[in-house]
Amino acid sequence: MRISIIVANWKMNKSVSEAVRFVQELHSSLTENDEIEVVIAPPFTSLNSLSEKFKDSPIKLAAQNVFCMPDGPFTGEISPRMLKDVGCDYVIIGHSERRDLFNESDEMIHAKIVAAIKNDLIPILCVGERLQELRSGQTEAVLARQLDSALQGLRSTDVERLVIAYEPVWAIGTGETASPEDAQVGALWIRKRIQALFSAKISNGVWILYGGSVNPENAKELLAQRDIDGALVGGSSLDPKAFLKIIQTAVQAKRNK
Ligand code: PGA
């Protein structure tokens, strides 16, 4: 049985002291349990300070991005080895903001996935359709392209530990969420694609999260869906109380499954 994973994607928010204060508040109310993994993806500048804080804590650290090369003349970039070195276990790859605002191609995303896995980081691969793609009935074609390209040539053992976030782009930061039924359809479609690309065993083990305007109010129904193993949370992860509520909802949803 898959555990649940709740990821906070802070994007370009919070200074180091704000990040540390958030984590102190979260720690004081978080009860340890092994059914759920809590992951925080702060900006690069807070990774080191949070890593220190997480030493004796079940909370895991993620980066929001990574470059595909191990080192060298790549001004402004951070390598997977550096992320591992600073204490990251996870890295978000292929977020729609990276794809759209920074022109990240499917090829680049694939290269980042390979580099992350090579350095023992667990990729949180984001996939999802834009509004016009949804309207023109291209959702499945977009998901197929993004998944096939990102995962091509990977071994089953690499994919076993993969986290995939289904994030319809039109739902990100807009307050509009996919209905729980549509989110389940998307997650199941992704699971079946993984089965076709690898095997039923692998697809049963892969974590599929939903992302896009998840909040304490809508989390219950979304997380109750059979193929949704957690959430990638942007806006609502910035407030420790709201984020804690989503974590508690996930624990409950997991017990009810
Ligand atoms: P949101 O962001 O929860 O603010 O919609 C989700 C994400 O971008 O991962």
Side-chain angles (χ1 to χ4, degrees):
M1 191 69 174
R2 299 178 298 268
I3 56 160
S4 291
I5 305 180
I6 300 294
V7 185
N9 176 12
W10 285 352
K11 309 191 181 188
M12 200 175 70
N13 292 289
K14 293 193 191 296
S15 65
V16 176
S17 57
E18 288 165 345
V20 168
R21 220 174 310 129
F22 177 109
V23 163
Q24 276 161 349
E25 190 170 337
L26 189 65
H27 262 160
S28 62
S29 359
L30 201 62
T31 46
E32 207 168 316
N33 79 78
D34 49 15
E35 296 155 298
I36 189 156
E37 178 117 303
V38 176
V39 181
I40 295 189
F44 286 130
T45 47
S46 292
L47 286 175
N48 196 40
S49 302
L50 293 199
S51 178
E52 292 291 318
K53 294 266 164 233
F54 292 171
K55 271 198 180 120
D56 302 312
S57 137
I59 304 177
K60 297 283 197 288
L61 196 59
Q64 298 175 17
N65 186 25
V66 67
F67 194 51
C68 57
M69 301 301 282
D71 43 50
F74 304 102
T75 302
E77 295 298 330
I78 305 279
S79 77
R81 194 168 61 86
M82 292 167 182
L83 295 181
K84 198 68 202 170
D85 184 45
V86 80
C88 287
D89 286 303
Y90 292 85
V91 58
I92 299 173
I93 295 179
H95 191 280
S96 64
E97 285 152 18
R98 301 289 326 163
R99 292 178 192 263
D100 288 349
L101 302 175
F102 301 96
N103 293 322
E104 277 193 18
S105 64
D106 287 325
E107 292 71 30
M108 174 56 79
I109 289 160
H110 170 66
K112 290 183 175 194
I113 296 271
V114 171
I117 290 171
K118 204 168 159 192
N119 286 274
D120 200 25
L121 288 164
I122 302 172
I124 302 171
L125 168 66
C126 300
V127 295
E129 78 285 359
R130 299 188 186 90
L131 187 58
Q132 69 272 26
E133 292 164 337
L134 170 74
R135 287 192 176 140
S136 57
Q138 290 179 69
T139 299
E140 293 182 358
V142 170
L143 294 178
R145 194 200 74 230
Q146 292 177 338
L147 285 169
D148 294 4
S149 160
L151 306 182
Q152 59 165 308
L154 295 188
R155 295 168 307 180
S156 298
T157 46
D158 296 333
V159 181
E160 241 163 18
R161 292 174 68 213
L162 194 72
V163 180
I164 298 176
Y166 173 47
E167 296 210 306
V169 180
W170 49 269
I172 295 178
T174 57
E176 270 194 59
T177 329
S179 69
E181 296 74 25
D182 287 347
Q184 162 62 22
V185 168
L188 179 60
W189 195 92
I190 291 169
R191 204 174 292 289
K192 291 210 165 129
R193 191 75 180 183
I194 303 292
Q195 179 173 345
L197 291 172
F198 297 93
S199 69
K201 180 171 169 274
I202 297 293
S203 79
N204 279 332
V206 162
W207 289 273
I208 301 180
L209 315 184
Y210 170 78
S213 296
V214 175
N215 60 41
E217 287 72 47
N218 61 26
K220 185 172 173 205
E221 278 198 81
L222 288 162
L223 294 171
Q225 303 305 310
R226 223 171 56 115
D227 285 282
I228 296 180
D229 306 314
L232 179 52
V233 189
S236 290
S237 74
L238 294 172
D239 169 30
K241 288 190 181 59
F243 189 55
L244 183 67
K245 260 203 184 130
I246 294 172
I247 294 169
Q248 289 163 341
T249 305
V251 172
Q252 209 47 55
K254 180 81 184 66
R255 289 185 183 152
N256 293 340
K257 268 186 185 167

